[in-house]
Amino acid sequence: MTSDTKKQVVLMKGIGVSSGIAVGKAYLLERGAIEPAQYCSIDRSEAENEIERFKKALKESRDQLLRIKKMMEEDKRGKEHIRIIDAHLMILKDNMLINDTIKIIREEKINAEWALKNVLKSLMEYFNKIDDEYLKGRSSDIEHIFNRVLINLLGRKHESISEIKEPSIVVAHDLAPTDTAQMVNGTVLGFLTDVGGITSHTAILSRSLEIPAIMGLETITRKVEAGDTVIVDGTTGTVIINPSESVIDVYKKRIERFKDYGKALLDYRDLPSETTDGRRVKLMGNIEMIEEINPLIDHGAEGIGLYRTEFLYMNRKDLPTEEEHVKAYRHVVKKMSPNPVIIRTLDVGGDKFVLRVVADETNPAMGLRAIRFCLKNTDIFKTQLRGILRASSSGKVKVMFPMISGIDEIRRARALLEESMAELKAEGKPFDPNIQIGAMIEVPSAAIIADLIVREVDFVSIGTNDLLQYSLAIDRVNEHVAYLYEPFHPAVLRIIKTVADAANLAGVSVGVCGEMAGEPEYALILLGFGINNLSMNAFSILRVKRLIRSISFAEARKICKTILGFATAKEVEAYIASRMPELYKEEFWS
Ligand code: PEP
Ligand code: MG
C-alpha cells in the first residue's frame, strides 16, 4: 500500500451503468480495437489459403463460444444469459461476415485480417449514422465477434475473464457481453471501460449480476496501471485511482452501507406499493429484451408497463414474421403471468433505429414515426397486431399505441386491431377479445385533448421522454440542448396534471413509463398528481416503492399544489430538494 500512496490520485467520471461500490486492484484486460497488418496483391493460391485461415478462425471462435456457453450452463445466473452467447453464435454464421469477407479476399486480393476489418468498418459506418443508443449497444456485439475472429486469425491468445484468480477490478477498452457473462464466479468486483453505454448488453448484464460498473470513461486504460488500487462507485459513475487509505476506509464503510441498503430494499419486495394513507400505485417494469425480465421479477414488478418491441426488427434485413412476434411476446407474457404485460406497438423512426422501409427524413422526430408509420404500412402493423393478439391467449396482455397525436389515429389503430381479431376468429386462432387498448401521451396535442382521448381507450401512459422533447422543443439526442431537459419545468408539471386529471375524472388508469417514473423525487410529484401506475427499470422499483410507502397521498398532493405556484424549474427543484430528506429519510444516508 505504501507504493500506492506515492502514486498520483486520479478522479474520473463516466457513465455509472450498474450501481454499487467496489474497491480492489486493477486487472488490465486487452480488449478493443486491433490493427492487423495489411498485405495486398496476393496471388490466387494465397487468396485460397487466406480463405482457409479465415474459416479455421471462424471454427476456433465458434468452439470458444461453445466452451463459454457450457461453462455458463453450469451456473444458475450464467444460464439466464445464454441467449447472448447464442446471439453471438448466430452472428458468427452471418452471411455478410462470411461471404463478404471471402469475396473481398478474392476480389481485392488482400489478407483475411484486412478483409475482415473492411467488412466490419463498412458495417460500423452504417451503425454510426444511426443516432440510437440501443442500436449502438447491439453494434458493439457485432464488433466483439469480429474481434474474436480477428484475434484467432492473428494467432493471439484471447485472455479469458475466467482466468482471473484474485478479486480484481477489470479495466478494459471495451468488454463483450461474453466477458461480463463470465463474471459469475465473484472474482470480478467491478469493471471499468473506455467505451460503451447504459443500454449495451454488457451494461445490462452487469446490472443483472449486480457488479458495480462504469463505462464510457474514454481514457481509463491509459490512466490505470495493473495492480493500482481503484475505487468504483457505479451509483455516481466516479472512479478514484490510487486513493489514500482514509478515502478507502470511507468507501469500505459505504460498501457495507450499500449492502445494508440493498438488503433493506429487498424487504420491500413483497410489501404493497401503498402510501401511508392507503393510496395504491402500481409499480411495473420497462423492458426491451428478455434478459431484463428476471431482475424485474426479483424486484417485485407488478407486470410490464412498457414492452418496447423495436428489438424484434433490429439487426436484420427482413421483417419479423407473425410467428416470431407470437413467440417473443408469449415468452414474456408467460413469465410475467398472472401480471399484465403492456406491449407497445412498433415505435420506429425519430431517434429510434431506422428500418430499411423508413424513408430518409430531414426532421425524423416530427416525421413518419411510430403510429404514423404503422398506419401507413398496415401490412407491417397488422402482422404485429396479430402477433400481440395471439399472445393474449397466454396471459394478460394489453396493447399500447405510441406517439398518438389525435383521436383519428386511435380509431384507425383500433379498426386495424378489430380487423385482425375478425381474421383470427375466422382462422380459429385464440385471442383475448376483451384486450385493453392504451394510448401513449407523448405529443402535446394529445395531452391537451386528454379528456377526449380517455373516452376512446382503456388506459393512457405518459411517455415523459418524448413529451418533454416535444413540449420543451428539445431534441432528446442533442447534447447541446440537454440542459433544457427539465422535468420540473412548470409547463411539464401542468401538462402531466392535465392528463392525470382528465384520466381520473373519466375513471381511466393513467401511468408514466418515461424515465421520470423511476426517480423518487419525480415519482413523488407523479403520485401527488394522481398517477396510479409507474413503469421503470428493475433497480428503481424498490427505491420508488420505499418512497411511496414513506409518505401520504395527502402530503404529496399538497406538495404538488405548492410547486404549481413556482415559476421556474429551479425553484421547484430547490423546494423538492429541501423536502426530500424529511419526507424520505431512509434514502438520505451518506
Ligand atoms: C417515452 O417517450 O417516455 C417512452 C417511454 O418511450 P421511448 O423512450 O421508447 O420513446
Ligand atoms: Mg416515446
Side-chain angles (χ1 to χ4, degrees):
M1 202 51 70
T2 21
S3 61
D4 279 355
T5 44
K6 276 188 224 140
K7 285 190 170 181
Q8 203 194 346
V9 179
V10 181
L11 193 119
M12 290 177 80
K13 274 277 201 186
I15 306 164
V17 298
S18 178
S19 299
I21 296 165
V23 180
K25 298 278 180 199
Y27 186 104
L28 270 85
L29 204 66
E30 200 198 311
R31 290 286 190 275
I34 301 156
E35 287 310 323
Q38 303 177 352
Y39 306 103
C40 50
S41 304
I42 57 176
D43 64 28
R44 189 185 293 178
S45 73
E46 281 171 328
E48 291 313 308
N49 252 340
E50 288 301 293
I51 292 167
E52 277 319 301
R53 274 199 327 111
F54 171 57
K55 286 185 179 162
K56 192 165 157 255
L58 282 178
K59 184 175 177 315
E60 271 176 58
S61 307
R62 188 180 147 74
D63 291 347
Q64 287 163 352
L65 287 178
L66 288 172
R67 277 201 296 276
I68 294 173
K69 185 173 169 179
K70 189 159 178 292
M71 192 189 92
M72 287 169 68
E73 273 165 351
E74 285 157 14
D75 181 284
K76 186 179 160 279
R77 287 186 305 169
K79 229 181 199 164
E80 289 166 12
H81 303 296
I82 279 178
R83 271 171 49 92
I84 289 175
I85 308 292
D86 285 337
H88 280 200
L89 283 163
M90 289 256 300
I91 298 171
L92 261 186
K93 278 200 259 170
D94 185 77
N95 277 345
M96 177 148 180
L97 165 66
I98 302 172
N99 297 349
D100 287 12
T101 308
I102 292 178
K103 195 164 154 229
I104 292 177
I105 296 174
R106 280 206 183 111
E107 285 177 3
E108 296 181 20
K109 302 194 169 39
I110 59 176
N111 59 321
E113 290 89 343
W114 195 7
L116 183 65
K117 202 76 194 168
N118 283 347
V119 174
L120 176 65
K121 194 165 158 248
S122 58
L123 250 181
M124 288 304 127
E125 276 167 4
Y126 173 72
F127 271 101
N128 284 338
K129 279 196 214 132
I130 303 168
D131 216 347
D132 180 76
E133 281 310 309
Y134 179 86
L135 242 200
K136 288 211 170 105
R138 303 294 73 75
S139 77
S140 69
D141 285 348
I142 297 174
E143 204 169 0
H144 292 136
I145 278 296
F146 272 71
N147 279 344
R148 179 177 288 279
V149 180
L150 210 50
I151 285 172
N152 286 322
L153 260 175
L154 290 164
R156 289 199 204 155
K157 187 169 162 332
H158 194 93
E159 198 183 357
S160 161
I161 295 263
S162 58
E163 286 164 25
I164 302 174
K165 296 288 177 266
E166 297 295 320
S168 313
I169 306 286
V170 167
V171 181
H173 176 69
D174 192 7
L175 284 175
T178 39
D179 291 315
T180 324
Q182 291 179 66
M183 294 180 184
V184 284
N185 65 5
T187 48
V188 176
L189 305 170
F191 69 80
L192 306 168
T193 62
D194 288 333
V195 300
I198 204 130
T199 58
S200 63
H201 264 133
T202 301
I204 290 167
L205 277 174
S206 64
R207 289 194 285 276
S208 157
L209 298 174
E210 293 177 38
I211 296 172
I214 304 172
M215 301 181 84
L217 284 153
E218 293 180 10
T219 54
I220 188 74
T221 45
R222 278 187 263 141
K223 302 268 167 63
V224 174
E225 286 175 26
D228 278 354
T229 300
V230 192
I231 293 173
V232 180
D233 184 343
T235 313
T236 60
T238 311
V239 183
I240 309 174
I241 308 167
N242 300 315
S244 66
E245 286 292 348
S246 57
V247 171
I248 292 176
D249 280 346
V250 169
Y251 274 88
K252 283 195 170 158
K253 283 196 189 102
R254 286 194 189 165
I255 292 177
E256 287 314 308
R257 294 181 81 162
F258 191 80
K259 273 191 199 150
D260 294 345
Y261 170 68
K263 276 192 213 136
L265 278 183
L266 281 178
D267 290 346
Y268 286 76
R269 189 189 178 281
D270 298 315
L271 294 176
S273 169
E274 192 175 277
T275 59
T276 52
D277 50 357
R279 165 106 176 162
R280 288 272 291 144
V281 180
K282 213 169 198 180
L283 300 184
M284 301 173 87
N286 291 354
I287 63 161
E288 298 188 52
M289 279 178 298
I290 311 289
E291 286 84 10
E292 292 163 294
I293 301 179
N294 283 341
L296 283 172
I297 295 173
D298 293 345
H299 289 78
E302 297 172 84
I304 303 293
L306 169 64
Y307 181 3
R308 293 181 166 104
T309 56
E310 290 74 46
F311 82 100
L312 268 173
Y313 298 79
M314 288 175 184
N315 293 346
R316 57 192 298 163
K317 293 185 185 127
D318 55 354
L319 289 160
T321 62
E322 183 179 315
E323 292 309 319
E324 285 177 73
H325 284 289
V326 177
K327 195 167 163 229
Y329 306 151
R330 264 208 182 123
H331 180 83
V332 176
V333 170
K334 283 188 180 161
K335 273 207 101 142
M336 291 311 296
S337 186
N339 287 316
V341 176
I342 300 179
I343 304 179
R344 177 179 74 183
T345 58
L346 179 61
D347 187 3
V348 69
D351 68 310
K352 301 278 191 320
F353 73 107
V354 183
L355 261 187
R356 266 159 223 270
V357 280
V358 177
D360 274 345
E361 295 176 311
T362 44
N363 198 351
M366 300 207 184
L368 198 64
R369 232 194 102 176
I371 196 69
R372 303 171 182 185
F373 171 86
C374 288
L375 291 174
K376 255 222 144 122
N377 294 276
T378 49
D379 288 353
I380 297 176
F381 192 31
K382 273 183 69 183
T383 305
Q384 181 175 37
L385 292 176
R386 285 174 56 101
I388 295 172
L389 282 168
R390 284 177 57 195
S392 73
S393 67
S394 304
K396 191 150 184 223
V397 172
K398 303 182 187 189
V399 59
M400 179 161 80
F401 303 121
M403 225 197 145
I404 291 294
S405 60
I407 299 293
D408 193 43
E409 285 164 343
I410 300 175
R411 292 190 182 156
R412 284 165 62 205
R414 183 188 282 279
L416 288 165
L417 188 77
E418 283 168 359
E419 205 174 292
S420 307
M421 284 184 182
E423 285 168 11
L424 290 174
K425 199 168 170 204
E427 292 163 28
K429 295 189 173 128
F431 62 89
D432 173 8
N434 300 316
I435 189 166
Q436 288 196 0
I437 296 176
M440 281 191 81
I441 307 293
E442 310 185 271
V443 180
S445 60
I448 293 166
I449 57 159
D451 58 328
L452 303 177
I453 287 187
V454 293
R455 292 188 204 156
E456 305 273 333
V457 291
D458 302 299
F459 65 95
V460 289
S461 184
I462 308 176
T464 48
N465 307 340
D466 275 316
L467 187 60
L468 263 79
Q469 151 162 277
Y470 295 121
S471 49
L472 301 178
I474 38 162
D475 180 349
R476 65 193 262 189
V477 293
N478 181 343
E479 69 275 17
H480 303 299
V481 288
Y483 72 98
L484 288 171
Y485 177 87
E486 291 178 318
F488 283 136
H489 191 296
V492 174
L493 303 181
R494 289 185 196 188
I495 293 174
I496 293 174
K497 183 176 184 310
T498 304
V499 179
D501 286 351
N504 284 322
L505 196 67
V508 164
S509 162
V510 54
V512 169
C513 61
E515 295 310 302
M516 269 181 84
E519 291 296 329
E521 62 270 42
Y522 301 138
L524 163 71
I525 59 161
L526 296 175
L527 163 74
F529 280 140
I531 303 286
N532 54 32
N533 186 322
L534 298 172
S535 192
M536 62 199 77
N537 68 63
F539 302 91
S540 299
I541 288 180
L542 295 178
R543 281 180 74 204
V544 171
K545 190 190 281 190
R546 189 152 86 166
L547 164 89
I548 286 168
R549 291 185 58 84
S550 77
I551 64 168
S552 70
F553 181 43
E555 186 62 36
R557 281 166 67 92
K558 245 205 260 147
I559 288 171
C560 281
K561 210 166 161 209
T562 306
I563 61 174
L564 283 170
F566 293 125
T568 68
K570 298 265 171 312
E571 287 165 41
V572 178
E573 194 177 343
Y575 177 72
I576 296 288
S578 73
R579 299 291 315 271
M580 283 303 267
E582 145 222 347
L583 293 166
Y584 191 24
K585 291 186 196 73
E586 302 91 328
E587 191 74 6
F588 286 82
W589 51 271
S590 59

